[in-house]
Amino acid sequence: MSETTHPTDRAARLARAKAVLGASTKVCPPNRATELLEAVIAPGDRVALEGDNQKQADFLAACLAKVDPARVHDLHMVQSVLALPDHLAVFERGIANRLDFSFAGPQSRRLAELVAAKALKVGAIHTYLELYARMLVDLTPQVALIVADKADRDGNLYTGPNTEDTPTIAEAAAFRGGVVVAQVNEVVDHLPRVDIPAGWVDVVVPGPKPYAIDPLFTRDPAKIRDENVLMAMMAVAAVYEPYQVTRLNHGIGYATAAIELILPTFAAQRGLKGKVARNFVLNPHPTLIPAIEAGFVDNVYCFGSELGMERYVASRPSVFPVGADGNLRSNRALAQVAGQYACDLFIGGTLQIDPQGNSSTATKGRITGFGGAPNMGADPHGRRHDSPAWLRAGEEAGERLRGRKLVVQMVQTRQPNGAPSFVERLDAFDLAAAAGFALPPVMIHGDDVTHVITEHGVCNLLRCRSLEEREAALRAVAGDTEFGKRQNTDMTEALRRRGIVMRPSDLGIDAATATRDWLAAKSIDDLVTASGGLYTPPAKFRK
């Protein structure tokens, strides 16, 4: 590991960069980008590569994967998300050997293979906030490779709607003597606004094509099934309504998309407009359009943007954080903080839940990570402001001096591949042993979870007064899985009488009526219509 970068070291790196740039002050031709990286990166460096769960510094990632391993090696990669093959190619080629990250997504299986083959060592799987914090403390990058929409010739950057990780990474490196290299779509004379000042940026590289960006938060309403609608109805009736939740964050999935699409129908029928789901911390989900147009939603603060939603968002500055340039300004770090401290509810999904309510997305043969869910899905003990939802949750939990954040796991009893979602032991324990982790990578700890919702019902863990009751409540909603079959029927009925376990009928819901008819939009085309034609879906979602 190289020592903390000193000004003289920075000067030497920039002098080598200057030899590559020639007469240009800050702009590096794309065909010399790999040579530039070989000039500014030293063996053993910590390198932050911007690869978040939407936009990617994909050209810089490809250039890094092409450097000469004899010149650049033993790198310690620090990045939010591994989404591209080039993100792992640096380990396959011996350019890097250590990794600290948050989420792996599509590269999760290959990452597990490389860890098993000892081709890389994982320092830790972080939450987003945890990783950003460590970039400022003990994982400060010597070189940061970031991405933005535009740069001017001085090096000022305009990130456009997808600010995402960029400001945090740039600041961590720029104010500790590091070198910041920015991939941009184009170099222009005048920027719509300055998101990152030129003083933080050392070199700008125009990419040969626009940077990669994934419409990660788009869910096609046509793929929402009746059981998703049923779970959404139970979520509204068992959580949103009784706790009067106004400030919240939704995870990604068809069940939460179904909630968004039944707000103008089912929730409105229950008289909840103006009472629930008014303030979101959320990417601009297309499935939220009908609720916004129905006047359900007051405002949305965003982690990032969403492809195709740019014109719609720009036309709703009273709802989204739109600047004078007419475009969204997002910030993932600030949104994570807002999701943790300003929200009363986090509702999301997982892959496995154990008898204690611990959940994880780390399963056999996959090192997925968990991104921001542990930040959103944690009860923040530092919180001091009250709200009706927070106070009621605390009262139900028996808290005397503080409230509780609502943390809901909404999952069908079996995953799409048939694997049970409820297990006696998380795969995360085996993964920890294989990868040499001190602790299993639990995504959300059971003592933070307040409710679990499946297609069979809701269990309110706040009302449980022992670990045995919590386990029984979880088994009661686990359906025909082996985990669920071990539940005692008499115990389930006793828990129902105490309101710990709730079936649809206990919530006034006729399961036979829980169909797609409740959805305010049943297709992508319906979302386009609801937006007044402002939503322009990416090609992959068009017929």
Side-chain angles (χ1 to χ4, degrees):
M1 180 67 65
S2 61
E3 296 296 324
T4 300
T5 308
H6 297 292
T8 52
D9 181 40
R10 169 179 161 78
R13 292 172 191 253
L14 293 181
R16 295 194 297 269
K18 183 63 178 174
V20 176
L21 297 178
S24 172
T25 304
K26 279 197 173 181
V27 180
C28 176
N31 63 351
R32 302 198 72 180
T34 297
E35 185 182 353
L36 171 75
L37 297 185
E38 290 177 339
V40 300
I41 300 175
D45 273 352
R46 280 188 299 269
V47 176
L49 174 61
E50 185 167 9
D52 54 50
N53 64 2
Q54 284 190 294
K55 71 172 184 175
Q56 310 293 333
D58 55 338
F59 179 61
L60 290 180
C63 292
L64 182 63
K66 293 175 184 174
V67 300
D68 182 357
R71 295 184 59 181
V72 180
H73 53 82
D74 295 318
L75 299 184
H76 180 175
M77 301 304 298
V78 181
Q79 63 191 95
S80 296
V81 176
L82 291 90
L84 307 174
D86 283 327
H87 290 160
L88 293 181
V90 295
F91 299 102
E92 295 166 339
R93 294 197 61 226
I95 297 165
N97 60 13
R98 186 173 177 83
L99 171 69
D100 279 272
F101 77 110
S102 293
F103 185 68
Q107 301 303 322
S108 59
R109 293 189 185 280
R110 181 58 182 148
L111 176 59
E113 293 170 358
L114 291 173
V115 170
K118 301 191 184 309
L120 70 94
K121 171 69 175 177
V122 174
I125 306 174
H126 300 73
T127 72
Y128 288 134
L129 275 181
E130 185 181 13
L131 188 63
Y132 302 148
R134 292 195 65 194
M135 283 189 194
L136 298 168
V137 179
D138 66 330
L139 289 182
T140 306
Q142 276 84 26
V143 178
L145 308 178
I146 62 175
V147 61
D149 272 23
K150 298 175 176 63
D152 64 18
R153 300 186 192 285
D154 293 325
N156 295 298
L157 300 184
Y158 170 66
T159 59
N162 275 285
T163 306
E164 292 277 0
D165 301 33
T166 322
T168 310
I169 299 171
E171 183 164 346
F175 290 88
R176 198 69 68 81
V179 174
V180 178
V181 180
Q183 171 187 334
V184 299
N185 290 342
E186 57 181 333
V187 177
V188 298
D189 292 328
H190 301 286
L191 298 177
R193 72 175 184 237
V194 174
D195 289 313
I196 297 175
W200 300 12
V201 180
D202 297 299
V203 185
V204 169
V205 182
K209 61 181 181 179
Y211 61 73
I213 184 166
D214 183 35
L216 182 69
F217 296 90
T218 297
R219 292 293 179 269
D220 186 347
K223 295 183 178 180
I224 295 175
R225 302 185 300 273
D226 288 349
E227 51 265 42
N228 300 136
V229 176
L230 175 60
M231 292 167 64
M233 293 169 71
M234 288 191 286
V236 169
V239 182
Y240 292 56
E241 182 174 355
Y243 295 93
Q244 299 288 285
V245 175
T246 59
R247 304 176 307 185
L248 67 160
N249 167 258
H250 278 183
I252 312 170
Y254 287 104
T256 46
I259 294 174
E260 292 158 15
L261 287 170
I262 68 169
L263 289 175
T265 57
F266 179 73
Q269 186 185 87
R270 294 177 77 100
L272 298 179
K273 182 177 178 180
K275 298 179 180 178
V276 302
R278 293 170 54 192
N279 313 108
F280 280 90
V281 178
L282 198 68
N283 278 63
H285 288 193
T287 44
L288 201 59
I289 291 172
I292 293 172
E293 295 306 300
F296 245 89
V297 180
D298 291 347
N299 65 284
V300 182
Y301 185 75
C302 303
F303 302 84
S305 188
E306 185 69 353
L307 279 179
M309 286 288 283
E310 295 85 359
R311 287 197 306 149
Y312 179 77
V313 168
S315 72
R316 302 292 185 273
S318 62
V319 176
F320 295 96
V322 173
D325 64 311
N327 273 327
L328 177 76
R329 163 75 182 193
S330 61
N331 188 305
R332 190 199 293 254
L334 294 179
Q336 290 286 329
V337 173
Q340 186 168 24
Y341 280 97
C343 288
D344 291 320
L345 166 68
F346 165 77
I347 183 164
T350 188
L351 296 180
Q352 290 186 338
I353 299 177
D354 72 7
Q356 289 73 49
N358 299 308
S359 66
S360 182
T361 52
T363 56
K364 284 183 171 57
R366 296 177 64 185
I367 303 180
T368 307
F370 22 65
N375 296 136
M376 309 295 173
D379 182 38
H381 286 201
R383 175 171 167 172
R384 290 297 180 269
H385 72 279
D386 61 52
S387 68
W390 187 75
L391 291 172
R392 172 165 176 169
E395 181 182 356
E396 287 191 0
E399 299 277 7
R400 293 185 177 183
L401 293 176
R402 53 185 299 273
R404 281 286 299 270
K405 182 175 183 177
L406 294 163
V407 177
V408 181
Q409 294 288 64
M410 188 157 61
V411 60
Q412 289 187 247
T413 53
R414 292 188 181 275
Q415 298 294 316
N417 63 2
S421 301
F422 292 85
V423 295
E424 299 294 340
R425 186 173 185 269
L426 297 176
D427 287 353
F429 286 89
D430 295 330
L431 174 60
F437 297 155
L439 294 171
V442 171
M443 182 174 70
I444 298 180
H445 291 95
D447 56 1
D448 277 327
V449 178
T450 64
H451 296 74
V452 175
I453 302 174
T454 74
E455 70 273 26
H456 291 281
V458 181
C459 62
N460 183 341
L461 301 179
L462 289 169
R463 296 173 179 169
C464 295
R465 292 297 178 261
S466 68
L467 292 176
E468 291 74 20
E469 284 186 353
R470 288 173 60 87
E471 181 176 332
L474 290 166
R475 293 187 189 277
V477 298
D480 66 352
T481 61
E482 289 302 314
F483 184 93
K485 290 177 181 177
R486 294 175 182 171
Q487 173 64 325
N488 178 284
T489 303
D490 291 340
M491 172 64 83
T492 297
E493 290 307 308
L495 294 175
R496 284 181 73 182
R497 287 191 294 271
R498 292 171 55 195
I500 293 175
V501 172
M502 293 165 274
R503 302 299 187 203
S505 59
D506 300 328
L507 297 166
I509 297 170
D510 180 355
T513 67
T515 69
R516 287 174 43 81
D517 290 340
W518 283 106
L519 299 178
K522 298 179 177 62
S523 67
I524 289 288
D525 286 344
D526 287 348
L527 294 176
V528 173
T529 300
S531 75
L534 293 171
Y535 172 45
T536 54
K540 64 188 282 188
F541 294 102
R542 295 172 185 155
K543 291 182 180 178

